[in-house]
Amino acid sequence: MKETDREAVATAVQRVAGMLQRPDQLDKVEQYRRREARKKASVEARLKAAIQSQLDGVRTGLSQLHSALNDVTDIQRSLADVSRDWRQSINTVESLKDVKDAVVRHSQLAAAVENLKNIFSVPEIVRETQDLIEQGALLQAHRKLMDLECSRDGLMYEQYRMDSGNTRDMTLIHGYFGSTQGLSDELAKQLWMVLQRSLVTVRRDPTLLVSVVRIIEREEKIDRRILDRKKQTGFVPPGRPKNWKEKMFAILDRTVTTRIEGTQADTRESDKMWLVRHLEIIRKYVLDDLIVAKNLMVQCFPPHYEIFRNLLSMYHQALSTRMQELASEDLEANEIVSLLTWVLNTYTSAEMMGNAELAPEVDVSTLEPLLSPDVVSELLDTYMSTLTSNIIAWLRKALETDKKDWLKETEPEADQDGYYQTTLPAIVFQMFEQNLQVAAQISEDLKTKVLVLCLQQMNSFLSRYKDETQSYKEQHLRDRQHPHCYVQYVIAIINNCQTFKESIVSLKRKYLKSDAEAGVSLSQPSMDGILDAIAKEGCGSLLEEVFLDLEQHLSELMTRKWLLGSNAVDTICVTVEDYFNDFAKIKKPYKKRMTAEAQRRVVLEYLRAVMQKRISFRSAEERKEGAERMVREAAQLRHLFRKLASGFGEDADGYCDTITAVAEVIKLTDPSLLYLEVSTLVSKYPDIRDDHIGALLAMRGDTSRDMKQTIIETLEQGPTQANPNYVPIFKEIVVPSLNVAKLLK
C-alpha cells in the first residue's frame, strides 16, 4: 500500500512539474487545482459504480447457485423413486405380452372390418372398372383400380406384419384380388394406345392425353411411397413398382422409330426416286411432329418430364439409326448424293431442325451428326468410285455419238455466231456441271474432288478424242469423196477445241473460289496442249485438202509455161480464197493461225519451185520478165492474205516479201553487183543455205562457175547474225539431189 502511495505521489509530482514549468503558470495554480479536483471526483464516482455493479452480480450468482443446489437434490430423489418403481414393474411388463398380441389382432381385425365392404364388393368393382376402361373413362377406371389395389395391399401388409412367413394366406389374398392385375394391364394397354397416337390426340382431344399423364403421375407417386415403406418394413405388394413413366418413354421411343421406318413407301424397283421421296417424307413428318410437340404436347406434361427435349432426342436417335441402315445398303451414286445431302445439309437447314418454329429449343449446333465421319467417308469413297466409272462411260458414249455425226451427209449445226460445232462440248460440260452442282450441295471438299476428277477424266478423254480425229482423217485420205461433209466436221472439231478450252476455264473459275483450291487445279495436267494439238492437226488436215487441189497449179510455177503466161497463181488465189470462205466458220484463234500457216505454205511451195531449177533464164529479158512476174504474183498473194487476215490486226506481208527479195536477185542486170544482192538476201534470211544460193544463181542462167564459187565461198566466210524474231522458212526447202558442184558447172 505504501508503495502504491509513493508511486501516486511521484506521479502527482511529475504532473505538477509539467504544469508549472514557467513563472507565469503560477498564476493558474488555483485553476489547475479545481480542474484536478473535478477529475478526481469523476474517477471516484465511476469507481464506486463499478464496485456496486460487481457486488450486485455476485449477489445474483450466489442466489442462482443456491436454487440449483435445491433442484439437484430434488432430481436425485426423483431418480431414486423411478429406479425403485422400474425394478418393481419388470414382472408386470412380461405379464402384458398377451395384451400386446391382442392389440395386434385387434388392429388386423379392425383393418379387415374396415375393408370388409370392399372385400365383398371386389367382383362388382372389377366389373365396373372393366366397363369404364372399355368406355374410355380412364381417370374413373383408375380411381376404382386404386381402391382395389389399396384394399389388397392393406390386407397383404397386415398379414405380412402378423406373419411374414405365412405364404398360404398371402396367396389366398392375392388370388382373391387376382383380377386386379389384369385390370391394371388392360388399363396400361389403353394408356399406351393413347401415347402411341399422342401427336394426333393432342390436336383432337388434348384432355385425353392429360388424363393419361395424370394416371401415370399417380402411379409414380404410389411407387415412390411403396419403395419408401419397403426400406422400413421390407414389404412390396405384387406388381410394384409399375414404372409407368419409364414405360411411357419407351412406348414413345418405339412409336417414333416405327414412324420413321414406316415412311418408306417405294423401293428402287418400283421408283428410281424412292430414296428422295423417302427422305422428303421423313423431313416433313419429323418437322410437323416436333412443331406439334413444342407447341401442344409440352402443355399436357409436367415440366420435369422435359417432353420436348426427350422427343427431340428420340427423333434424332431414330433418324441416326435409319440413316445408318440406308448407308449400309448397296446405294447407287445418285442415291448416295441424296442421302449425304439430306444428312449433312437438309437436316440442319431451315427446312428441318433449323426451322424458326423450333427455335430456341432446338440448337442445330448442339446436334450430334446423324452419320459418323467414318461412314460419311466410306460413302464418299463409294460415290467417287462409282462417279469415276460413270464419267468414263458417259464420255465414251458421248464420243461414240459424236463420231457417228461425223459421217452424216448433212453439215454440222452452227452456233449463234455462225461457227460450226457439234454437241460434244455441251454434252460433256453439262454432265460435269450436273455432277459439280450435286457435289456442291454436299460439301465444298467433295465439290473440289469432283472437279479434279472431271479434269483428270477430261485429260484422258481428250487423248482419245485426238486419236479418233486422226483416224477420221486417215479414213478420209483413203477415199477423199467420203465422208461427204469432211471439211465441215473438221472445222467443227477445231471449234470444239476452243469451246473445250473456254468451258474448262469457266468451270475452274466457277467452282474454284479460294487460292488453296486454285492450287489443286494447277496440279492437274494441262489440257490446252492437247486441244491445241488437235486443232493444229485439224487445221493441217484442212490445209492438206487445199494443197492437194493446188498441187497441179503449184507444179506449173517456175516453168516455161509459167514464164509464157500461165495463170497458175490466179487459180491458186481463187482456190485458196474459195476454201477460206468455208474456213470462215472456224473460230478466230484457230482461223488466225490457219491463215498464217496457209500463207507460209503457199510461199514455201513457191520458193520450193524456185529452188527446183525448173527453168533457167536464157537472157536478161527473160530474167526481167520472170522477176517482174514474181513481184506481181507476190503482190497478188499479199493482197489475198491481207484480205483473209483482215480483222486479226497483224502484218500479213512477211512471207510474201521473201518472194520479192528472191525476185530482186533474179532481176539484177549487173552481174558485178550480184554478190551484194545475194549477201543482202542472206542477211535477211539467215537460214538460206549454199545449195539454195547455187540453185538461185543457176536459175539466173548468166552466172559463170567462178562467180558462183566466189559468191558462195565469200558468204561462207562472213558471219551471219539472225534476228531473234526471225521465223526460218528456207530450212524447210530441200534442193533436189543436185549438189552445189553440179550447180556451179
Side-chain angles (χ1 to χ4, degrees), residues 13 33 137 168 292 377 428 434 570 605 614 684 690:
V13 170
R33 183 181 293 112
R168 187 180 66 82
V292 170
S377 178
V428 169
Q434 290 174 351
D570 294 334
E605 292 299 326
R614 296 175 182 174
K684 290 177 65 175
D690 295 349

Side-chain angles (χ1 to χ4, degrees), residues 39-50:
K39 287 184 178 179
K40 178 182 178 184
S42 176
V43 170
E44 288 176 350
R46 289 200 301 272
L47 183 59
K48 288 178 181 180

Side-chain angles (χ1 to χ4, degrees), residues 679-728:
S679 63
T680 301
L681 180 67
V682 172
S683 65
K684 290 177 65 175
Y685 306 100
D687 63 321
I688 197 168
R689 300 190 302 272
D690 295 349
D691 52 350
H692 295 143
I693 296 172
L696 184 58
L697 295 178
M699 183 178 177
R700 279 182 58 87
D702 66 340
T703 310
S704 65
R705 177 179 179 182
D706 292 339
M707 183 179 292
K708 293 176 184 178
Q709 186 70 31
T710 302
I711 291 172
I712 292 173
E713 289 178 355
T714 305
L715 290 173
E716 285 179 349
Q717 295 173 2
T720 303
Q721 292 183 350
N723 186 333
N725 297 324
Y726 172 70
V727 179

Side-chain angles (χ1 to χ4, degrees), residues 466-493:
K466 181 180 179 182
D467 294 339
E468 294 298 339
T469 56
Q470 183 64 31
S471 300
Y472 184 53
K473 171 187 173 182
E474 293 171 357
Q475 177 185 353
H476 173 71
L477 291 178
R478 287 192 291 269
D479 181 0
R480 291 190 64 202
Q481 301 302 317
H482 295 91
H484 181 71
C485 295
Y486 172 76
V487 171
Q488 290 83 353
Y489 276 100
V490 171
I491 292 173
I493 290 171

Side-chain angles (χ1 to χ4, degrees), residues 39-136:
K39 287 184 178 179
K40 178 182 178 184
S42 176
V43 170
E44 288 176 350
R46 289 200 301 272
L47 183 59
K48 288 178 181 180
I51 292 172
Q52 183 64 41
S53 176
Q54 291 291 331
L55 289 173
D56 291 342
V58 170
R59 187 180 298 110
T60 302
L62 290 173
S63 176
Q64 290 177 347
L65 287 173
H66 187 269
S67 298
L69 179 60
N70 293 334
D71 291 341
V72 169
T73 303
D74 292 341
I75 291 170
Q76 285 177 341
R77 284 197 298 269
S78 298
L79 286 174
D81 294 340
V82 169
S83 178
R84 185 172 57 256
D85 292 342
W86 178 75
R87 290 190 189 94
Q88 293 174 356
S89 64
I90 290 176
N91 295 330
T92 304
V93 172
E94 292 178 356
S95 64
L96 293 175
K97 184 176 184 303
D98 294 337
V99 177
K100 179 182 177 182
D101 294 340
V103 171
V104 172
R105 285 195 298 274
H106 181 272
S107 175
Q108 293 173 341
L109 290 172
V113 170
E114 184 180 350
N115 290 290
L116 193 59
K117 182 180 179 181
N118 290 336
I119 290 172
F120 285 118
S121 61
V122 165
E124 182 182 353
I125 296 175
V126 168
R127 286 192 299 273
E128 291 177 356
T129 306
Q130 184 67 46
D131 292 341
L132 290 170
I133 291 174
E134 291 175 356
Q135 294 168 12

